Amino acid sequence: MSKDFSAMEDSNPSSNPSIHEVSSPTRRRVLQGGLGGVVTSLLAPLSSVAVLSGCATVGSPDKLIGFKSVPATRIDDLIVPEGYTATAAFMWGEPVGVAGAMPEWKADASNSAADQELQLGMHHDGMNYFPLDGSKRGLLVMNHEYTDDGLLHKDGMQAWSAEKVRKSMAAHGVGVIEIEDRNGSWDIVRPSQYARRITAATPVALSGPAAGHPMMCTAADPAGIAVLGTMANCAHGHTPWGTYLTCEENWASYFNGRAKPTAHEARWGLRKEGRGYRWHEHEERFDLNKHENEPNRFGWVVEIDPMDPTSTPIKRTALGRAAHEGAWVAQTKAGRAVVYMAEDAQFEYIYKFVSRDRVKPGGFAANKELLDHGTLFVAKFNNDNSGEWIEVSHGKNGLTAENGFANQGDVLIKSRQAGDILGATKMDRPEWIAIDPHNGEVYCTLTNNTRRGADKQPAADAANPRVNNTMGNIIKWKEAGDFDGASFTWSHFVMAGDPANQRAQTQGNIKGDIFGSPDGLWFDDRGILWIQTDAHSTNMHKDDYAGIGNNMMLAADPRTGEVRRFLVGPVNCEVTGVVCTPDMRTMFVNIQHPGESPTDRSDPADPSKYSTWPSGQKGARPRSATVVIRKKDGGMIGT
């Protein structure tokens, strides 16, 4: 998430003490790895970036990482290491493959709303690969987080209309595509029985303790059990029983709030005019003045069965409501599911949910209600590197009717307010979480927080030690016992930053290639930790980022702390979402909003003002895309 949505980042007024007090579907653009060919003449390593040398060879017993680092750059292209290829594929606007309905992308963005409902959405984010035929064929399920309406419509936001609102809603949500490796080229299977788009208008069910709660009921849904749509879908998760979890993050930005919000509305960042999406002008349910409960129906983790295109997505309210970044699932030795979640906003919280029941064999059919029953916890990081999980349950720890929580539905709908009362630790934008497959340590990116230590704002603390934290860091913890433990010990894995910076708080302690604003995280089965960055376009050219360049993806060895830069993205993009095929010979990485305008509303008269990636053609609209990365020798990614 790279938008400066302060509505989601300035809404924590609690007084908790801090703990220190390719332009077309048929012509993919292949970017050859390394610095050869045309790319060589364009690359200019930034002077303060140290590029590691002496990389390990394939099969080295003491080295996880075997590629040579790429330099930091500010060019409008995508760079991967020598010996690798990167192909831009699965782009915004490509038809997903619904039989008999496959409208092609139009370069001038003149596709209709009906077309967009059948095409991949805008701004790819979290994703997962579900095998159908091992590493040769599978389903790629991906989030489409938000829209830049200056790019989405032929004439931008001029002559705003119901059709444009419908198209914008259709470009949100989730895309399900079937993909296949055809003689070395990954393509979308069209038509496919699995192909599907889930949008901001798709029927979605509500389940769990908050379903049917009075605060969830509307005129269109008096029972409070059925919502139209999911949106602001940021990171993701996947379950041991084969389903996909998509998470609603900056949903408050879409609502027109009241001029004088209630305390509940203010705590969630709801405000008049929202963040400029203007959906409420033609879709009345997004006007809080007319439908005050509609916002309560967003901010949830949504479970999707990718194998059944007729199934209804389900918002799992037992997991709590938040500006959810993602939901990452572990399993205890006893077979219970544990879902780790982070809320991407300044001074918000980290959660985990422990299921009441054990995971059963039989896939989704046998586990349809598993995420409806269990216990939610919120994290407190203590000064002495210990931590505790505080139960978020009605009647416990002050969550009583006297404090505004009459039942568990109240607690879950008002999860932020519950965290305030419980004294949870206010974090520096906690985003992606990853779990080391070898030792069970849990890692979380704290992307940045420029308000830390500012006037009347929480001071720096042990877990969030930087004032004006522009660079971010990665924190990790080890549970006491199993994943459902009540306590943990924590430490900082790395503090991001550039040693050349003048301000000590931004210099970092990275062993290897420098980076800032860590966001995406993923462990592969070998134990390599992949780190993706998201510095907003308005910040990337400030002094702190002078030596860092465009957003990137790096590989880290958790045993040694070594970090190597694997990929650098095009201008003003975010690098987000990563997964590999089971054989680790194909990696999928999402490039979101290349050429992002600092205002997040690009000029339709000059859509290529900042970037023309992936086509590279003059005047072309930039497009979010999934990049397919492979080794030229057919080897495993990262070697």
Side-chain angles (χ1 to χ4, degrees), residues 443-477:
Y443 290 66
C444 180
T445 50
L446 303 178
T447 297
N448 51 47
N449 186 351
T450 57
R451 293 167 60 227
R452 175 72 66 177
D455 184 41
K456 298 181 181 180
Q457 299 295 333
D461 58 43
N464 306 273
R466 289 171 156 175
V467 297
N468 186 20
N469 181 11
T470 61
M471 306 307 294
N473 56 289
I474 300 174
I475 199 168
K476 66 175 183 175
W477 63 87

Side-chain angles (χ1 to χ4, degrees), residues 520-532:
L521 276 185
W522 179 65
F523 268 106
D524 68 28
D525 290 340
R526 293 164 299 175
I528 296 177
L529 178 64
W530 297 90
I531 304 168
Q532 300 173 314

Side-chain angles (χ1 to χ4, degrees), residues 337-358:
V338 176
V339 186
Y340 289 98
M341 296 164 286
E343 181 164 20
D344 179 12
Q346 293 175 345
F347 306 120
E348 296 301 345
Y349 306 127
I350 294 173
Y351 302 88
K352 78 173 180 182
F353 170 86
V354 180
S355 69
R356 181 193 67 188
D357 303 322
R358 293 174 172 83

Side-chain angles (χ1 to χ4, degrees), residues 204-218 221-227 296-297 300 314-321 371-373 407-413:
V204 179
L206 284 162
S207 70
H213 188 281
M215 292 179 69
M216 302 285 265
C217 299
T218 65
D221 176 30
I225 57 173
V227 181
N296 298 327
R297 294 145 66 86
W300 304 101
I314 303 170
K315 299 196 180 190
R316 300 293 187 183
T317 67
L319 276 63
R321 180 165 168 256
L371 295 182
D372 286 340
H373 307 285
N407 49 51
Q408 186 64 6
D410 279 350
V411 170
L412 296 169
I413 293 169

Side-chain angles (χ1 to χ4, degrees), residues 4 6 19 31 58 60 102 124 136 138 148 169 175 233 238 259 321-322 334 349 358 380 383 396 444 485 500 627 637:
D4 280 340
S6 59
I19 55 180
L31 307 168
V58 177
S60 174
M102 289 180 275
H124 305 8
K136 285 292 185 182
D148 180 337
M169 293 174 67
N233 305 88
H238 60 94
R321 180 165 168 256
Y349 306 127
R358 293 174 172 83
K380 183 177 182 181
N383 275 342
K396 296 184 178 181
C444 180
V627 175
I637 303 297

Side-chain angles (χ1 to χ4, degrees), residues 9-68:
E9 298 182 353
D10 62 3
S11 55
N12 191 340
S14 73
S15 57
N16 294 357
S18 58
I19 55 180
H20 235 205
E21 159 246 297
V22 174
S23 61
S24 74
T26 57
R27 185 171 65 82
R28 307 294 189 207
R29 186 155 193 246
V30 180
L31 307 168
Q32 295 298 325
L35 310 183
V38 176
V39 173
T40 302
S41 64
L42 296 174
L43 283 179
L46 297 169
S47 59
S48 65
V49 176
V51 179
L52 295 174
S53 60
C55 299
T57 57
V58 177
S60 174
D62 59 345
K63 290 283 187 180
L64 280 177
I65 307 168
F67 61 88
K68 183 179 179 180

Side-chain angles (χ1 to χ4, degrees), residues 152-450:
L152 181 64
H153 313 290
K154 186 175 181 179
D155 59 349
M157 299 188 77
Q158 301 175 41
W160 195 240
S161 65
E163 169 72 3
K164 287 184 175 179
V165 171
R166 180 184 168 194
K167 186 178 181 182
S168 183
M169 293 174 67
H172 284 71
V174 178
V176 181
I177 53 176
E178 181 181 350
I179 58 174
E180 185 176 35
D181 182 358
R182 297 170 176 169
N183 300 317
S185 175
W186 281 89
D187 295 302
I188 300 176
V189 176
R190 300 188 184 97
S192 168
Q193 62 177 314
Y194 303 102
R196 184 180 190 187
R197 278 301 321 283
I198 297 165
T199 74
T202 301
V204 179
L206 284 162
S207 70
H213 188 281
M215 292 179 69
M216 302 285 265
C217 299
T218 65
D221 176 30
I225 57 173
V227 181
L228 284 180
T230 181
M231 63 191 185
N233 305 88
C234 197
H236 70 298
H238 60 94
T239 68
W241 51 93
T243 58
Y244 183 77
L245 303 178
T246 185
C247 301
E248 299 174 330
E249 188 191 21
N250 287 317
W251 50 269
S253 303
Y254 297 81
F255 287 90
N256 176 40
R258 307 180 214 260
K260 294 183 178 180
T262 65
H264 172 62
E265 293 161 1
R267 184 64 183 86
W268 290 94
L270 290 157
R271 68 185 200 183
K272 188 172 177 59
E273 302 301 331
R275 287 284 160 177
Y277 280 95
R278 298 175 61 186
W279 286 6
H280 67 281
E281 295 178 20
H282 298 282
E283 186 75 10
E284 188 181 275
R285 65 189 172 103
F286 291 99
D287 190 340
L288 186 61
N289 298 279
K290 299 177 180 178
H291 301 277
E292 65 179 3
N293 282 348
E294 189 70 18
N296 298 327
R297 294 145 66 86
F298 293 89
W300 304 101
V301 175
V302 187
E303 186 172 15
I304 298 168
D305 181 1
M307 300 298 174
D308 181 3
T310 67
S311 62
T312 300
I314 303 170
K315 299 196 180 190
R316 300 293 187 183
T317 67
L319 276 63
R321 180 165 168 256
H324 278 294
E325 179 70 22
W328 293 271
V329 184
Q331 193 168 330
T332 68
K333 293 181 179 66
R336 290 184 174 83
V338 176
V339 186
Y340 289 98
M341 296 164 286
E343 181 164 20
D344 179 12
Q346 293 175 345
F347 306 120
E348 296 301 345
Y349 306 127
I350 294 173
Y351 302 88
K352 78 173 180 182
F353 170 86
V354 180
S355 69
R356 181 193 67 188
D357 303 322
R358 293 174 172 83
V359 178
K360 299 175 183 177
F364 183 49
N367 295 280
K368 281 188 174 181
E369 297 183 359
L370 190 80
L371 295 182
D372 286 340
H373 307 285
T375 306
L376 185 66
F377 300 87
V378 66
K380 183 177 182 181
F381 292 78
N382 297 318
N383 275 342
D384 60 359
N385 295 96
S386 69
E388 56 191 293
W389 292 105
I390 308 172
E391 187 171 343
V392 188
S393 294
H394 177 251
K396 296 184 178 181
N397 302 314
L399 302 182
T400 61
E402 292 77 14
N403 289 323
F405 304 96
N407 49 51
Q408 186 64 6
D410 279 350
V411 170
L412 296 169
I413 293 169
K414 297 184 286 188
S415 297
R416 279 186 175 177
Q417 294 96 311
D420 298 343
I421 286 178
L422 296 174
T425 301
K426 296 177 282 187
M427 308 298 288
D428 285 351
R429 285 187 60 201
E431 296 212 44
W432 288 56
I433 291 173
I435 304 166
D436 190 318
H438 298 303
N439 62 19
E441 288 186 326
V442 185
Y443 290 66
C444 180
T445 50
L446 303 178
T447 297
N448 51 47
N449 186 351
T450 57

